[in-house]
Amino acid sequence: MKILSMVRSIHDEKTQQFCTNYTGVGMVTRNICDYIGSSHSSYLFVGKYRLPQMQIGNIHIVDTTAEIPIDGYIDENEKNLQIMTRIFEQTLDNLQPDIVNFHSIGDLTRRCMDVCLEKRIPFVYTSHLYIGQQRKIKRYDRTVQWESDLFKVPGLNIIAVSTGMRKLILKDFPEIKEENICVIKNGTDFKAELIESCIVKKYSLENKKVLLCVGTLSERKNQKQLVRAFSLLDKNLQEKIRIFFCGNDLMNGELQKAIDDAGLHDKLIYTGALDSNEIKKYYSIANGLVMSSLAEGLSIAALEAISYGLPVVMSADLECADDLNDEKVGCFAEERTDAGFAGAIAKWYSKKWDREYIIQYSRQFTMERVAADYIACYEHIIKRTKH
């Protein structure tokens, strides 16, 4: 089987264009394409860059450097969209893939879907993140409009990365047939390693319990709520807990300012973005992971944390809560309020967690299982399309 995947960008530490992309979708898409490529022909069209043909693991990166003449006076964004759409069409003609898997949302994706429809090539869209028609999150208005347009594509096949996401999509778009949307839970190839470091000594963490909040600082990730929640904890409990925020800052220092304004700079600590080796040092000394996201697929950070035997603190109504809904693995805020999160953190602190149980639980989230599920999904769609 020949699979062409399309994504805006991926993460790959050895490739210049991709080495700084630490997004969950960048990491998981690369892994999906690579693991599929171990048994099938896996090609990848990267929409963000004009790239020559190259090989990354089992992935054939397709050439997007062709010179395409565009007539008329149009802005650079529209010109680039037209060029990349034409190159995508040429790629389809040259490769003749059995199926196309779109992993990114946006104008280019929508146009390339139309090309697939015209050429009668089966395709599927993987929803790694779903904002939804009811949620209002700063800077995501355009994404909501893209979702509204994309999910109305006739007969669209969809892969949702969590059970809760599938429920939300069907609720917002009841016209989508249930058999057209399947759940393939995310996985990771992350290998838990205990790495010694000076973190405990540097931050005086002796006799403290440590929570990590891993991910880009953003309105969607909603880290500022954790500052407010922590402020509600009993002062004695505050002294016993530290939270480290690990990720790129897209909020121009708003989180750090909130921490300083609350007088918690010695208890809530921002580390900046960490590479895979550095984050392992923090997982090695941590006691749990906390997420206050307003929207989340199936968090790669959560899968990494449970591979270390760390419990996850999150809202009970987060999409991925259904897939981590084990009281021995997760600790849930029943209400998405500051008080609700404060209560969940206090519960996490007082509960005795079985690390070995959590590690065993994490072993269902392997990339081998994810790749097998994707291949089965592709075969089902191709078979159904032919009939």
Side-chain angles (χ1 to χ4, degrees):
M1 185 162 49
K2 189 183 294 183
I3 302 107
L4 174 63
S5 300
M6 178 182 172
V7 72
R8 177 170 168 76
S9 185
I10 59 170
H11 172 72
D12 184 75
E13 292 184 352
K14 298 178 181 178
T15 308
Q16 182 181 354
Q17 291 90 341
F18 307 140
C19 63
T20 60
N21 177 17
Y22 291 107
T23 62
V25 63
M27 293 178 183
V28 76
T29 301
R30 184 216 182 277
N31 285 341
I32 290 168
C33 295
D34 188 47
Y35 276 75
I36 286 171
S38 66
S39 57
H40 294 269
S41 297
S42 179
Y43 293 84
L44 181 61
F45 185 102
V46 178
K48 185 177 180 178
Y49 305 105
R50 303 291 296 279
L51 297 171
Q53 179 180 321
M54 66 176 78
Q55 188 80 18
I56 296 178
N58 296 313
I59 309 169
H60 307 286
I61 305 293
V62 303
D63 188 336
T64 53
T65 61
E67 293 296 328
I68 305 291
I70 301 295
D71 297 328
Y73 295 97
I74 54 177
D75 64 48
E76 282 302 310
N77 181 60
E78 176 60 28
K79 181 179 179 181
N80 187 61
L81 281 170
Q82 291 188 22
I83 289 171
M84 293 302 278
T85 302
R86 292 271 295 278
I87 294 174
F88 178 82
E89 184 173 8
Q90 291 177 356
T91 301
L92 291 185
D93 291 340
N94 293 333
L95 286 181
Q96 293 292 309
D98 295 291
I99 191 166
V100 177
N101 191 168
F102 294 96
H103 288 273
S104 296
I105 200 167
D107 295 328
L108 181 59
T109 292
R110 187 63 186 84
R111 295 188 189 195
C112 291
M113 283 184 178
D114 285 339
V115 175
C116 289
L117 287 169
E118 291 170 9
K119 294 183 177 293
R120 298 180 179 273
I121 294 176
F123 63 92
V124 60
Y125 168 69
T126 298
S127 181
H128 292 280
L129 174 69
Y130 181 68
I131 301 301
Q133 303 299 290
Q134 309 306 318
R135 291 190 286 210
K136 299 296 181 184
I137 303 175
K138 283 184 181 179
R139 301 183 181 91
Y140 278 88
D141 290 348
R142 186 79 180 274
T143 301
V144 172
Q145 184 56 51
W146 280 332
E147 289 175 347
S148 179
D149 183 38
L150 185 145
F151 286 111
K152 291 175 183 175
V153 171
L156 178 66
N157 295 296
I158 305 160
I159 295 170
V161 301
S162 68
T163 304
M165 182 187 289
R166 181 179 187 272
K167 292 177 182 177
L168 284 175
I169 293 171
L170 288 173
K171 181 180 179 182
D172 283 349
F173 299 95
E175 65 272 20
I176 294 175
K177 294 180 180 179
E178 290 196 13
E179 60 266 28
N180 281 18
I181 176 168
C182 71
V183 175
I184 300 179
K185 299 175 188 177
N186 269 347
T188 179
D189 65 346
F190 186 83
K191 304 299 181 188
E193 300 174 83
L194 293 176
I195 300 179
E196 291 187 6
S197 69
C198 61
I199 295 171
V200 171
K201 184 178 180 180
K202 179 180 179 180
Y203 294 103
S204 301
L205 300 177
E206 297 86 356
N207 302 316
K208 305 285 193 297
K209 285 191 177 182
V210 174
L211 277 173
L212 302 182
C213 183
V214 179
T216 301
L217 304 192
S218 67
E219 296 290 341
R220 177 176 68 83
K221 293 289 187 177
N222 193 33
Q223 289 96 339
K224 286 192 291 184
Q225 182 172 33
L226 294 178
V227 181
R228 301 192 301 269
F230 193 89
S231 299
L232 297 178
L233 295 175
D234 178 88
K235 297 296 182 184
N236 290 330
L237 189 54
Q238 287 185 10
E239 292 298 328
K240 298 173 183 177
I241 298 173
R242 298 291 181 266
I243 301 179
F244 287 88
F245 296 89
C246 312
N248 282 317
D249 182 4
L250 297 185
M251 298 177 66
N252 298 314
E254 289 182 27
L255 175 68
Q256 298 90 308
K257 184 178 185 302
I259 291 171
D260 287 340
D261 290 347
L264 295 169
H265 63 275
D266 59 332
K267 300 176 179 66
L268 308 182
I269 301 153
Y270 174 56
T271 69
L274 303 174
D275 63 27
S276 59
N277 189 63
E278 284 297 311
I279 194 65
K280 288 180 178 182
K281 294 177 183 178
Y282 283 84
Y283 282 131
S284 295
I285 58 92
N287 305 98
L289 181 91
V290 60
M291 298 191 300
S292 51
S293 302
L294 300 176
E296 197 72 56
L298 181 49
S299 166
I300 299 303
L303 302 186
E304 291 175 354
I306 62 175
S307 74
Y308 274 88
L310 306 182
V312 181
V313 182
M314 72 176 90
S315 172
D317 67 354
L318 197 60
E319 298 94 289
C320 55
D322 284 348
D323 300 309
L324 297 170
N325 190 14
D326 185 317
E327 62 181 11
K328 295 181 181 180
V329 175
C331 190
F332 300 102
E334 294 304 323
E335 294 183 353
R336 193 187 282 271
T337 61
D338 299 346
F341 269 101
I345 291 171
K347 182 180 177 182
W348 157 81
Y349 178 85
S350 63
K351 184 171 179 175
K352 186 175 181 180
W353 299 94
D354 184 342
R355 287 202 176 210
E356 280 306 313
Y357 179 91
I358 298 173
I359 290 170
Q360 288 295 329
Y361 182 91
S362 76
R363 287 174 180 155
Q364 64 184 287
F365 298 101
T366 66
M367 283 310 306
E368 288 83 1
R369 188 268 305 161
V370 172
D373 287 351
Y374 266 81
I375 290 166
C377 178
Y378 296 154
E379 290 173 342
H380 176 72
I381 291 170
I382 292 167
K383 183 177 179 181
R384 193 175 62 194
T385 302
K386 288 181 178 178
H387 288 83

